[in-house]
Amino acid sequence: MPAQAPSRAPDPQRRRTALRHRLAELRGADVPAQPLDARALAALAANPGCRRRALLDGAGVDKTALALSLGSPSGFGQSQFAFMRGNAFEARVKADGGAELLRLTHGRLGGGPEPVPGESALPDLSAAGPEGRAARTALALREATESGGWTLLDHPMLALDVAGTLAFLEPDAVVVHPDGSWTVVEIKSFPMIDGSADAAKVGAAARQAAVYALALERVAERLDPVPPVRHHVLLVCPKDFSNLPTASAIDVRRQLSVTRRQLARLTRVEDIAAELPEGVTFDVRRPAAELTAAVEAVPATYAPECLSACELAFHCRTRAREEGEVTSLGRAIRGELGGLTTVSAVLAAAGVGSEEAGDPADPAVAALRRAAGLRAEALAGGGALGGASC
């Protein structure tokens, strides 16, 4: 009897091709994919347990159109005026070959002699498709590092593997210093007044820049020697109430660590897709009932923070409230309640209603019953006081 041939692991290229075909089927065979950007990745990394968002983003589904088809449109996103203002300010910052931007970079981060206007490199990064642009960016970074001068890469293209699929990211700019180090540049249109800006907006910009820095590290790892990617990114904003640019160096080491850890924890998209029933599709041209069933086939992890980061947040919030999920009250409360995952279970554990449930030895149950007892005492005391005053 002939010996059985040893089984071989699937060819990685064939596996990736099969995954792309599967994701295209989920999105709709002739529907173009929505590219992942750093803003979406920062939000995805902040909620790694949400399999729904991981699959929809990995498949390139237009979540804005999907939310509209589901009957839960979201106002998430920037206004057209904000886009126009941001583009105009970015054009001003990068005028004259990026002379002002390089001056700000040297002033805040150093990295070599002061740049001389007109002598810095501004390589052409145009190429066919995102893969071609990413390859051209990698080549330009290597050449700039070897040149020993100042180089500004305007809207480079970076690739980052996210849950088994490539995301192509486009930072505002990357600067290569004469000492060979690389810096991510974030250009925002919100003002920096007296040297400081809105903390929430700076935090969002830092999380977004950390995604770019992580992708830039992947490019650097393929070079020998490995050039350093600076952990301080340059945040450029309008100064005070003018349109003149000013800048600040933002340390993103903490955001880098969180993003790296959270992206590593993401469930692989192909594993989520494999668990779906046959025929499921997120093609927004399908009837609303069919789309609702398809979306509900993928588990979600809703939290109030999703309202500022995900187009499907209104839909998921409605479902979470209908099912009484405690996650709708916030991650902090969910963490305190341990194994109590629904509002009805929490009320039963606290002894509210006709039936009492839960293990008294459970710290969460004990705390709830103690709180319910204190509330009952307070209400009884208030009632007695109110009766005496009458």
Side-chain angles (χ1 to χ4, degrees):
M1 184 176 180
Q4 187 176 3
S7 60
R8 295 182 179 179
D11 176 56
Q13 183 60 39
R14 186 175 302 174
R15 185 176 178 179
R16 285 194 292 269
T17 302
L19 176 61
R20 283 198 296 270
H21 288 164
R22 175 61 174 144
L23 296 180
E25 291 174 357
L26 291 173
R27 183 177 63 250
D30 57 343
V31 178
Q34 287 288 113
L36 275 173
D37 57 15
R39 190 188 301 261
L41 279 179
L44 186 60
N47 192 5
C50 187
R51 297 162 68 89
R52 181 177 297 170
R53 173 149 196 169
L55 180 62
L56 294 176
D57 281 348
V61 175
D62 185 344
K63 296 196 299 299
T64 299
L66 180 58
L68 186 61
S69 299
L70 292 172
S72 302
S74 171
F76 175 74
Q78 285 185 307
S79 67
Q80 189 64 30
F81 174 74
F83 276 117
M84 293 174 59
R85 182 180 60 190
N87 290 338
F89 178 68
E90 181 177 337
R92 176 163 190 162
V93 171
K94 294 178 178 177
D96 300 323
E100 179 65 12
L101 178 55
L102 292 174
R103 185 190 68 80
L104 290 170
T105 305
H106 175 265
R108 298 295 185 271
L109 297 171
E114 186 174 351
V116 178
E119 295 185 6
S120 302
L122 187 64
D124 180 13
L125 302 178
S126 59
E131 294 89 349
R133 290 186 58 200
R136 181 67 189 91
T137 295
L139 178 61
L141 284 166
R142 186 183 68 186
E143 293 173 345
T145 304
E146 295 171 351
S147 71
W150 288 97
T151 301
L152 172 63
L153 279 70
D154 185 7
H155 284 285
M157 183 65 72
L158 306 172
L160 182 65
D161 185 279
V162 180
T165 186
L166 278 182
F168 292 97
L169 312 173
E170 189 176 2
D172 293 329
V174 170
V175 171
V176 179
H177 302 245
D179 63 4
S181 59
W182 302 351
T183 293
V184 172
V185 178
E186 271 289 280
I187 302 174
K188 298 296 184 183
S189 59
F190 56 80
M192 195 175 293
I193 301 174
D194 292 333
S196 63
D198 181 88
K201 293 180 179 180
V202 172
R207 289 189 295 272
Q208 188 172 330
V211 175
Y212 294 136
L214 184 60
L216 203 58
E217 287 180 351
R218 298 294 182 263
V219 180
E221 289 168 358
R222 297 196 292 268
L223 301 184
D224 187 20
V226 177
V229 177
R230 289 176 176 256
H231 293 151
H232 281 82
V233 303
L234 190 73
L235 176 62
V236 182
C237 299
K239 182 179 181 181
D240 298 327
F241 300 100
S242 71
N243 202 33
L244 299 175
T246 187
S248 177
I250 308 296
D251 189 342
V252 296
R253 279 177 293 185
R254 183 178 64 82
Q255 290 84 355
L256 256 176
S257 177
V258 170
T259 301
R260 192 180 291 113
R261 182 174 65 253
Q262 299 291 54
L263 289 181
R265 289 174 52 194
L266 284 172
T267 305
R268 294 183 64 84
V269 170
E270 59 184 318
D271 296 336
I272 304 174
E275 297 175 1
L276 292 179
E278 190 70 26
V280 167
T281 178
F282 303 105
D283 189 337
V284 296
R285 297 167 297 187
R286 305 298 296 174
E290 184 178 331
L291 283 175
T292 299
V295 168
E296 295 304 316
V298 189
T301 305
Y302 171 77
E305 294 86 348
C306 297
L307 292 172
S308 62
C310 183
E311 296 85 346
L312 286 178
F314 290 162
H315 174 83
C316 297
R317 181 180 66 177
T318 300
R319 289 295 185 270
R321 287 176 173 176
E322 288 175 352
E323 297 174 9
E325 297 178 359
V326 295
T327 51
S328 62
L329 305 176
R331 290 195 182 101
I333 295 177
R334 171 67 185 88
E336 292 289 338
L337 293 174
L340 304 173
T341 59
T342 64
V343 174
S344 59
V346 171
L347 294 176
V352 178
S354 58
E355 295 185 4
E356 188 176 87
D359 182 4
D362 185 338
V365 173
L368 285 168
R369 292 182 180 175
R370 175 61 177 160
L374 292 173
R375 177 179 181 274
E377 291 178 11
L379 291 176
L385 181 61
S389 63
C390 292

